[in-house]
Amino acid sequence: MIGAAIAAGFVATLVMTTIGRAASEYGLTRMDLAFLLGTTVTENRRKARAIGYVFHFLIGIVFAAAYAWFFRLVGSASWEIGALLGALHAVFNGTVLVNVLLPVVHPRIGTPETAADAIALVEPPGFLMLNYGRSTFVVMLVAHIAYGAVVALIISSIM
């Protein structure tokens, strides 16, 4: 099951990343998840993006393992359940994570308390990530739904 979770996490994160990058290239969002993650550890923009992609794929594998655990717990892994988990994950990210937790742990993200003379490397996403574009939450919702469905499809093939 661990091997399947790793494979599922890698493939699903690749799908999710592709959706996010394509949406960015089409001007639907300014969200750069790799940059957002990478700037937690470096100010160097080029290194931040590379480090961020590594973080993103590692996090994707960890979440796939958690999804696999949930599927085993409920005794079923369907794409519908995976899509629902992905949607719940996106809503949590768009509300609690980016507004409450991210500003606490991210040393280079702007906050309402950031002074005018202090320049943040990363703009705060805001509620439902609206600071990155009006359609950002929808893009992230679709990407997370796809992630959950792909993880479920791969895990269900071995259950």
Side-chain angles (χ1 to χ4, degrees):
M1 180 75 96
I2 296 296
I6 291 170
F10 183 83
V11 171
T13 303
L14 185 61
V15 168
M16 182 179 177
T17 303
T18 302
I19 292 169
R21 286 301 314 147
S24 179
E25 294 298 323
Y26 282 109
L28 298 174
T29 182
R30 293 184 306 110
M31 173 70 96
D32 186 341
L33 196 51
F35 183 72
L36 184 66
L37 292 170
T39 53
T40 60
V41 294
T42 183
E43 289 182 9
N44 182 302
R45 290 177 167 278
R46 191 169 302 166
K47 286 182 183 177
R49 192 163 281 117
I51 292 167
Y53 277 117
V54 171
F55 282 177
H56 189 147
F57 276 86
L58 291 175
I59 292 167
I61 290 168
V62 168
F63 270 98
Y67 281 35
W69 172 82
F70 178 79
F71 295 142
R72 181 171 285 239
L73 185 69
V74 298
S76 176
S78 67
W79 72 265
E80 295 96 339
I81 295 172
L84 178 62
L85 285 175
L88 293 172
H89 186 170
V91 170
F92 176 79
N93 284 352
T95 56
V96 176
L97 183 70
V98 298
N99 291 304
V100 178
L101 301 176
L102 191 61
V104 172
V105 299
H106 197 303
R108 294 170 187 86
I109 199 164
T111 66
E113 296 82 28
T114 302
D117 61 345
I119 299 172
L121 188 60
V122 181
E123 178 183 13
F127 182 71
L128 296 180
M129 298 168 274
L130 289 174
N131 290 350
Y132 293 153
R134 293 181 62 178
S135 60
T136 298
F137 179 71
V138 174
V139 168
M140 290 295 110
L141 180 63
V142 168
H144 278 82
I145 288 171
Y147 172 89
V150 169
V151 168
L153 288 170
I154 294 171
I155 297 297
S156 70
S157 70
I158 62 134
M159 282 185 84

